[in-house]
Amino acid sequence: MMIRILQTFDTFTLRQKEDAPDGSYPPPSWKGAPGRKGIEEVWPGMAITLFVKGGCWVHMSPADS
């Protein structure tokens, strides 16, 4: 569903430094570090994602205009 929503936009701009709360972007000490760490503009994290076995089947109907 998220893919379909994103397909309605043609431009995306990362505004991490302007809009993200303090502490949610990489620390200044990462700047210039080797590999991806030195150029990251987001601070990757880990999480557990649950899923529905067999998928979550949904029927959608177009909205009346």
Side-chain angles (χ1 to χ4, degrees):
M1 183 196 257
M2 184 57 114
I3 298 298
R4 234 6 233 142
I5 292 170
L6 293 174
Q7 286 175 339
T8 64
F9 299 96
D10 61 359
T11 304
F12 296 90
T13 305
L14 183 63
R15 293 186 44 92
Q16 195 71 3
K17 291 179 182 172
E18 297 87 356
D19 299 330
D22 289 339
S24 64
Y25 45 87
S29 61
W30 283 21
K31 192 81 169 166
R36 291 281 324 161
K37 186 176 181 178
I39 59 173
E40 280 294 349
E41 294 187 35
V42 296
W43 193 335
M46 289 190 215
I48 295 175
T49 303
L50 299 175
F51 65 94
V52 178
K53 186 175 181 177
C56 184
W57 294 84
V58 178
H59 174 78
M60 300 172 77
S61 299
D64 293 332
S65 297

